[in-house]
Amino acid sequence: MARWIESWLPGSSAGGSAPAGHPGERFGLPAAGHYSVAGFGRRVAGVCLDWFLSYLLVLLVAGVDALGTPEFSWWVLGTWFVITALSVSVLGTAPGHLALGMRVARTDMATHVGVPRALLRTAMIAVVLPPFLRDTDGRGWHDRASRTVVVRVLRG
């Protein structure tokens, strides 16, 4: 029996990770195009857009004088958390994901991500490390724990 950590390591065949083929193949996702697994760079850019939006919203409410205070960073983090968790649980996408043509989908392809999964996923992203520890499907710990995958959504 494989140790639990082996299922999280890239290239590991333990824990049901994809042994061969393209990312997302074991979930029935295509190799490219609509509903294919979103790339890491696109996902990072989406989080950066969400963070920037949160920064601007807090700056708009708190004013420029709040920039130097320690509370400002916590307000930005809290705003990011609420925006991300709420929009992913209700719409299946965060603002940054939407702008870059992505959405969060459940691995069982159910319609909605739901509040518990969105809260868990967002909390783990806030820790920073889980998104960088990815499996062969390109999913970080936060996606594996919430049983989700970020996919591309082509417009048009």
Side-chain angles (χ1 to χ4, degrees):
M1 176 178 238
R3 296 182 332 200
W4 72 271
I5 192 67
E6 291 174 359
S7 68
W8 298 91
L9 296 173
S12 170
S13 61
S17 61
H22 63 272
E25 182 176 28
R26 69 186 175 114
F27 303 119
L29 301 174
H34 188 68
Y35 252 65
S36 62
V37 175
F40 184 69
R42 183 183 293 245
R43 294 176 68 175
V44 169
V47 171
C48 288
L49 285 174
D50 292 337
W51 196 263
F52 184 68
L53 174 65
S54 302
Y55 190 90
L56 287 177
L57 288 172
V58 172
L59 194 59
L60 184 67
V61 171
V64 178
D65 296 336
L67 274 174
T69 65
E71 297 85 21
F72 185 78
S73 297
W74 288 107
W75 278 105
V76 172
L77 177 63
T79 303
W80 171 84
F81 188 92
V82 169
I83 288 171
T84 302
L86 184 63
S87 61
V88 167
S89 66
V90 175
L91 304 173
T93 185
H97 284 148
L98 183 62
L100 296 176
M102 297 179 289
R103 75 177 299 270
V104 179
R106 288 176 41 169
T107 55
D108 61 4
M109 296 306 144
T111 308
H112 298 288
V113 173
V115 175
R117 290 176 198 251
L119 289 173
L120 172 63
R121 188 175 185 285
T122 306
M124 289 183 77
I125 293 170
V127 177
V128 177
L129 189 58
F132 291 100
L133 301 172
R134 302 178 306 139
D135 64 9
T136 54
D137 288 313
R139 298 182 318 141
W141 284 12
H142 62 295
D143 282 322
R144 289 190 58 128
S146 61
R147 294 186 309 259
T148 59
V149 60
V150 179
V151 295
R152 295 180 61 208
V153 181
L154 303 178
R155 298 178 189 112

